Amino acid sequence: MRNRFPHRTASLLISLLVIFSIPILVKAQSGSPTSVTDDEVNSVARELYCPVCENIPLDVCGTQACAQWRELIRQKLEAGWSKDQIKVYFVEQYGDRVLATPPARGFNWLIYLFPPLLILLGGIILYRSIKIWKAAPPARENPNEEVPLEKDPYFAQIEDELKKR
Amino acid sequence: MIANIGFGALWFALVVAVYSIGSAIYGARRKLTNWVDSARNAMLLTFPLLTISVICLVILLVNGNFEVDYVASVTSKSMPLYLKITALWGGQAGSLLFWTWAMSAFAFAATLRNWERDREFLPWVVVVCSITLSFFLGLIIFVENPLARIWVLGGNLAIKSMFPPTGATLLFQTDGRGLNPLLRHPGMIIHPPMLYLGFVAFVIPYAFAVAALITGRTDDRWIRITRRWTLVAWLFLTLGLLLGARWAYDVLGWGGYWGWDPVEISALMPWLTGTAFLHSVMIQEKRGLFKRWNMLLIILTYDLVLFGTFLTRSGVLSSVHAFAQSSIGPLFFGFIGITFIGSLALLLNRWNDLKSETHMTSWLSREALFLLNNFLFIGILIVCFWGVIFPLISELVTGQKVTVGPPFYEQATAPLFAGLLMLMGIAPLAAWQHSTVKTLGKSIWKPAGISLIIPLIAYLLGVHNWAALFGFWLIALVASVTIYEYGRAVIARARSHSQSWWRAFWELTGRNRRRYGGYIIHLGVVLIGLGVIGMQMFQTETQGTLAQGQELKLDQYTIRYDSIAIFDTTDGRNIARAVVSIYKDGNYVGEIYPRRDYYIESQQPMTIPGLRSTLADDLYVILVDWQAISSSAATFKVYHNPLVNWLWIGGLILIIGTFVAAWPEREIQTSRAKSHKKQLAGSNA
């Protein structure tokens, strides 16, 4: 859902961007003052998952590798890449698992379709069941049935007291 | 020697558990009381036997017997005594033993009850408990033995085994690898046992449900017997989840308490079905409805307990291939499959006996609203279950790993949770059987009107996020309905009995603990909801690298980096501890000390945030990085977490409410006994 970038176009674009950004990256690494803030880096890293850890977003991952990936994001941002371009780059490099949710395509559609369909089906079953229950006569009176709340003398007393106020 | 005693006790426990299964089945089939009693005694024996085994492992952990592989993997000489003891559940093999021991304790307690009225349930309860125990004991003895030692064969070939392979000598290690630093936190010390106790306690209501299915005694007796067991299970599971959330907040250093991690979700899933069950059984007790549904819910809860243990213990979460290589994964998978299919077969066999005794009369009756509540809980379960297993299915089918992270769960479950809150606001006012829009409207209009004040105030204070305003209204609705209902009853009792409000409140709660315990739980949920809205809607964060004396702003807060100290501790840590001053609206409000502990032995860092907590918010500061030599600059990540502490307060109230609901109703029993005695005395006179 997040990644609607056509696959081939994205690859081509990334390749071109990588080629053209090399001089900029080299310049950034040579110690020039950075114009990209940590918050900007984190806003991208937050939407990516550590490619090698288990279920840890990149912005909070404490490993050295993740620190290097965040630095890579910084370099890309300095090079003028957009958030989506950086995300596509990471997907190209490490696969769909770096995205916080599976991209809505092919087999992945199942993750988005299955729960609402099942819940909808459950809702229909529930609706029909209640209708049938309402229509059907009682099998027999429930011997364990307790006195309904409104018929409970204690609560009748409470109601009386409230009415007196 | 100690390891051998522990292992012997394990074997003995397995033998008696298997014997109790056979003896109970034989006794039940042939109606031989002696055999059933023998099975019961055998199952009782598993608890002391497993206690011996647990004590042996604790002695080994405390003594530092590093020739035992488990001891070497979770303890080290430098660890304090309490951590050595809690290392019992710090690793896979030990936690399985702890799980089994807790299971045997619950089975022990359940078996000691008075069985006079429910004699026919006894053998089948023993069978279910003993099958579960035998499975786990089998896993421990044959696959994940925490008492196994390391032996050296020939040159350097190390073999993990309980007994020495031919020609092998014992490997005496001088020190162990120590407990995972992340587990060295008070929250994490209590969290796993609470979770396990919650898990295993659900086995008891499941065992009674199976016994009811087998014996054909499908009235609500099994539910009445297990009501308190279910509440106890729910209490422990809730405590486990809350403590896990607090641990994540304090230790994981990402500014939050719940990350929709598969391990977290695996503990949430049985809680969801367990909560649905707690509501649904009330309908069966009051109206004789949903007998099949209640059976299905407790079967689901039991298998989700197993599934949760399977997910966290089989390695399947890291990869389906790891699962295939895992020694316990396929066994767990098989056991879950057998118990689920077997339970469903029993349920289908009794399908016609489990017909509802009455019928639904109104869409707005309390039973209809409870059913809707169950539907929403199951909806959340579907989302959670599918989100957890989809990455595994994807890897299996496409070979591609995917991540299903918080955005999926939050978007899918938010409307369902909102629906649950709405029902919490409406259902307490709906009557059993007959309820109409008119009667419900008449009871709800006052609290509903009051509830609108909260979002209005929030709006006037500058909150213009419609989702947050809707959330505030929902929790205000639940709070006002609950307090209105409670208050009405307290006032009425105070007037009718000429009591103080406090006394009326106390006695009213004692008179119907289940109802008023439930109301207190609802109030706890309201406060938890407040914390969740604060975090989800209003959390802000920033990060910056500061030179000493420099400041960083976030909302109304300013932090100033004062200094950093780097030092070693005697327990094997290298600590970098920063001193940070906090200003709120320009006024100095105190100092906090975010730090990074580096465990030298295990080479693992641990981030401990600096926290300034108030009822309004938390300022949560993490030390991300620093210049090691000059200490002149450090990087901080700062989170502003509004209302988060209401989540913990709400959790505490929820626990109190559960205690109230689960507490034995002594007062009523006493008064009933007194009136009975009076009647007897009267009739005698």
Side-chain angles (χ1 to χ4, degrees), chain B residues 51-94:
Chain B
T51 306
I52 292 172
S53 193
V54 165
I55 289 170
C56 287
L57 184 55
V58 170
I59 291 171
L60 293 168
L61 288 165
V62 171
N63 283 350
N65 289 77
F66 299 117
E67 71 275 14
V68 175
D69 186 49
Y70 181 76
V71 176
S73 68
V74 292
T75 59
S76 61
K77 280 179 181 169
S78 60
M79 272 168 53
L81 178 68
Y82 76 97
L83 280 181
K84 285 180 180 171
I85 295 169
T86 56
L88 173 63
W89 50 82
Q92 173 140 306

Side-chain angles (χ1 to χ4, degrees), chain B residues 285-302:
Chain B
E285 285 178 43
K286 299 265 184 192
R287 303 272 292 116
L289 290 163
F290 313 143
K291 293 180 176 182
R292 295 164 183 162
W293 179 241
N294 286 329
M295 284 287 177
L296 191 62
L297 275 180
I298 197 66
I299 291 168
L300 264 177
T301 306
Y302 173 77

